[in-house]
Amino acid sequence: QESGQAPEDVRHVVREFFPFDPLPASQAAASPRLTASPSILSPSLRAKNTLSTAVPPIFISFRFGEAHAEARALQAALHVRGVEAFVCDVPAGESIALEVIRSLRGCALAVVLGTRSYGARTASTFSSYYELRFILERHKPFFLVKMCDVFEEDYAHFHLCDDISYHSWTGLGAGPDAMSTVVDLIAARLATV
């Protein structure tokens, strides 16, 4: 195995769940980890979750540099209400491949925190671009939290246009009432899937 190349089993999983743009060996992760949080699932969500009950029903997709604090705050607020959410929190340099794939594929609802550069195609194989592409291509139910006036990235701007239902939220600076409303809306959307 070449240095910096993911084991074949990880590349196979990546190809299976992300069939577009094969994982280049130069970008493959060398040490995959799989640590999904336990989830609280209703029987109807458990039936829809094809992987296991260890996959949280909500996957929060976001850009680290723009909405990491908001993603963590939403995760905590949803937890208080009895709903678990996956937020990728892998330290720099460690593999996120299996965690992201398993959680995104198995979630009942994806929450997109749409910031200005959301959907940017970066050097990482698991950027918000690939998450959004997977959500759209697999017709994954999603809830858009629009955190900007205009998406700078063409892919997000095209696919998350104004005719898609969304809720505007400017982030943690908007105060606890605004965040509580976002959490209420996400929980209500989850109940419909």
Side-chain angles (χ1 to χ4, degrees):
Q1 174 174 320
E2 296 176 28
S3 176
Q5 184 174 355
E8 179 56 35
D9 61 324
V10 173
R11 290 194 311 270
H12 169 74
V13 169
V14 170
R15 283 191 302 269
E16 180 181 348
F17 299 134
F18 289 87
F20 39 83
D21 298 332
L23 180 65
S26 64
Q27 294 179 358
S31 58
R33 289 184 329 156
L34 181 60
T35 55
S37 303
S39 66
I40 300 169
L41 293 174
S42 68
S44 63
L45 285 178
R46 192 174 290 114
K48 291 179 181 180
N49 185 332
T50 60
L51 293 177
S52 85
T53 56
V55 176
I58 294 177
F59 178 96
I60 301 177
S61 179
F62 62 98
R63 293 272 298 155
F64 272 91
E66 292 177 329
H68 187 235
E70 285 79 2
R72 298 285 291 154
L74 285 175
Q75 180 187 39
L78 286 162
H79 176 77
V80 167
R81 298 199 189 178
V83 178
E84 295 302 315
F86 174 85
V87 170
C88 183
D89 239 349
V90 177
E94 292 192 27
S95 175
I96 63 172
L98 291 177
E99 286 187 66
V100 170
I101 291 168
R102 185 168 189 260
S103 297
L104 183 54
R105 181 174 183 250
C107 74
L109 177 69
V111 172
V112 172
L113 299 185
T115 52
R116 284 198 177 279
S117 69
Y118 182 84
R121 194 168 186 176
T122 67
S124 171
T125 308
F126 295 96
S127 64
S128 59
Y129 168 83
Y130 288 107
E131 291 172 3
L132 179 59
R133 189 167 171 181
F134 183 87
I135 291 164
L136 296 171
E137 288 182 358
R138 298 294 173 102
H139 305 285
K140 198 63 130 154
F142 71 94
F143 182 86
L144 174 59
V145 178
K146 195 166 180 188
M147 299 179 70
C148 62
D149 295 329
V150 177
F151 293 110
E152 293 174 352
E153 298 300 319
D154 291 338
Y155 191 78
H157 186 75
F158 181 81
H159 289 288
L160 300 176
C161 53
D162 287 337
D163 64 346
I164 291 177
S165 177
Y166 66 89
H167 179 75
S168 292
W169 182 45
T170 56
L172 295 174
D177 290 340
M179 188 170 101
S180 182
T181 299
V182 172
V183 171
D184 288 343
L185 292 168
I186 292 169
R189 176 68 175 108
L190 179 63
T192 68
V193 297

